[in-house]
Amino acid sequence: MNQYPWWRYALVIVVLVVGALYAAPNLFGTDPALQISARRAAPVDVALQTKITDSLAAANVEPRRIELANDKLLIRFNSPEDREIAKSAIADSLDSKQYVTAVNLAPATPDWLRALGGKPMYMGLDLRGGVHFLMQVDTDAVKQQTDERFISDLKNAMKEEKIRYRTVTRAPNGGILVRFISAEVQARGLDLIDSDFVELKVNEQDTAKELEILLTPTEEYLIEARRTALKQNLTTLRKRVNELGVAEPVIQQQGDSRIVIQLPGVEDSALAKDIIGATATLEFRMVFLDGDAQEAAAGGKVPVSARLYEERDGTPILLNKRVMLEGKHITNAASSVDTQNGGPIVRINLDGEGGKRFSKATGQEIGKPMATVFIEQVKGRAVEEVINVATIRDQLAYSFQISGLESSEEARNLALLLRAGALAAPIEIIEERTVGPTLGADNIKRGFDSVKIGLLLVLIFMALYYKVFGLVADLALVANIVLIVSLLSMLQATLTLPGIAGIVLTVGMAVDANVLIFQRIKEELKNGNSPQASIHAGYEKAFSTIADANITTLIAAIVLFSFGTGPIKGFAVTLSLGIITSMFTAIIGTRAVVNLIYGNKRLEKLAI
């Protein structure tokens, strides 16, 4: 009686071994590290590793290890002081325009454990340290962008309908100001606006300016434009941060015009600003053929309908002010190799609106040169560069490619930046907060001390009150914490300070099941049942009560996770995992140990 089949013992052993294995990475801590990655086109290879090694040797800094993988160079150090010295030495030897040097903490997990997929659990901002930004989206800029987009569309539409206008400009206080050459043309223009531009309303104008009308977007359209811009910014920031590999970032909307960003583990707030602001996009413009770029660059007059740019080799070039296609219409970008000449290219896919506009625009310009302008935000400043000039041979549509790139690395980086996209509206950091690693370490120490003290008191109480059975419950409780840590690590869930509170709560709840079982066994013994029958009845009859209590708590935890944000989610995650693991350890785990100790034995009494 009271014996498990062999497979149940094997199941318990396998679960405990796997749990201990994947919880182990958390024992090795982290190394202070620097991560070097390329901005654009710059190689991250053995030559760069050698250059960095020489720079560190010159600064008398001995790195713990240098790892080259995934086009990134990770340098581990023995102390934060060595890392600071190395950071200065590397900054002197590397071009900041080509490389980004990030300060972070690298897991010190052994190679053999990493090969098995073992990773330490993520620490939240309150434990690991990091940066917190509250950002304000410039909704006024959305209105300006909306006006400018309508100006471009109005010009194109009236040009197609052969409606002659004097000017289409943005009014000083917002809106689109259209001036016509005659009343007849004005009437045709109003008909066009009524039929094709339902999002615009005509405002009353001064009667002295009869051939002039003021158009403004409807309030409903502006509200939707602001909402769309905010959502696009959220998506863009998430993609940008994810592409750069920041672990477990928090990027969420606050109110109707603000965005909260938290980057755990990032210690350099200046670098974090660059990460957030370093978005990029493309513009496609026709080359302006009716002017002299060299003369304009030498101080001459730039034609009214043209803008002066520079190609990669510094050669000046004039491009039309009119933008044929903007980067916001790019849905995907991937680097590849040109099958004809083997050169690097980037294949670009457009959305429906962008495909229609580009097809129409290029169909009218076949045989003429078109330039690709790359625009990147670097430290809050837009850097524009003509990366490609090519003659339009055929009408382009929803999918095409750009060439003229210097290397495959540049093609990959350009594709990465284009996938991340450009911000739909400017953003401004209105609150910045840095949680230092020292404060995070203090939170970890205090949190873990609370777990250890709570665990120790429960272990002592159970051992004294329930004797041998109490020691069995203590084993299950320790195993339960190991399994929680293991699951957090395997799921790569984020542990926060409230999450530690969830673990402390689980420590108390985990023994509840054993208390119910042990009390039932004691009652069965008092009723005159044999020890073996009492053990069997204790586990069987207490199960429904244990299941009811844990399922109701799990439902509450799921609701917390569904409706909560940030710290509340962290608490709900650890509480949910703790309930699941405690059911396993308190029922199956303790029963296996009790069966090994007392099973198939003639017993006179139990040490309970």
Side-chain angles (χ1 to χ4, degrees), residues 241-448:
V241 172
N242 289 340
E243 292 274 13
L244 290 175
V246 177
E248 286 296 301
V250 175
I251 304 171
Q252 59 190 20
Q253 180 178 341
Q254 185 178 88
D256 60 355
S257 62
R258 291 183 175 181
I259 296 173
V260 173
I261 297 181
Q262 293 181 351
L263 305 177
V266 176
E267 300 175 23
D268 190 339
S269 61
L271 175 66
K273 289 179 184 178
D274 285 348
I275 291 174
I276 293 168
T279 53
T281 187
L282 292 180
E283 286 182 352
F284 296 90
R285 299 173 183 261
M286 296 305 298
V287 176
F288 188 79
L289 302 174
D290 298 328
D292 190 332
Q294 295 288 350
E295 181 181 334
K301 187 176 180 181
V302 178
V304 176
S305 56
R307 283 187 62 183
L308 183 65
Y309 289 86
E310 282 190 358
E311 296 187 64
R312 300 201 132 170
D313 58 2
T315 304
I317 184 172
L318 288 173
L319 304 181
N320 282 347
K321 278 188 175 179
R322 179 195 168 200
V323 179
M324 299 177 66
L325 181 73
E326 297 169 324
K328 66 181 180 180
H329 295 293
I330 295 174
T331 58
N332 192 28
S335 59
S336 185
V337 176
D338 194 334
T339 55
Q340 295 182 353
N341 58 27
I345 59 172
V346 174
R347 299 187 185 278
I348 293 176
N349 296 325
L350 304 177
D351 60 16
E353 181 186 350
K356 290 177 183 177
R357 287 182 57 183
F358 204 46
S359 175
K360 192 172 186 179
T362 54
Q364 298 170 351
E365 305 288 355
I366 292 176
K368 297 178 182 178
M370 180 182 70
T372 305
V373 183
F374 176 77
I375 306 170
E376 183 178 15
Q377 294 289 332
V378 179
K379 296 183 178 179
R381 184 172 61 89
V383 178
E384 300 181 334
E385 179 185 25
V386 176
I387 62 173
N388 171 264
V389 176
T391 302
I392 300 175
R393 301 296 182 190
D394 298 295
Q395 187 173 5
L396 304 176
Y398 299 94
S399 179
F400 61 96
Q401 66 186 41
I402 60 171
S403 57
L405 303 168
E406 294 179 348
S407 65
S408 57
E409 287 81 8
E410 182 184 16
R412 282 196 298 270
N413 289 335
L414 176 59
L416 181 154
L417 290 167
L418 292 176
R419 287 196 300 272
L423 294 172
I427 54 176
E428 178 188 1
I429 297 174
I430 59 175
E431 180 187 328
E432 176 182 340
R433 186 168 70 247
T434 301
V435 180
T438 304
L439 178 59
D442 186 56
N443 286 339
I444 292 175
K445 181 180 181 301
R446 290 173 180 270
F448 284 1

Side-chain angles (χ1 to χ4, degrees), residues 39 90-91 93-101 274 378-379:
R39 284 191 186 274
I90 291 171
S93 61
L94 290 184
D95 184 356
S96 61
K97 293 181 180 179
Q98 290 186 310
Y99 296 97
V100 177
T101 303
D274 285 348
V378 179
K379 296 183 178 179

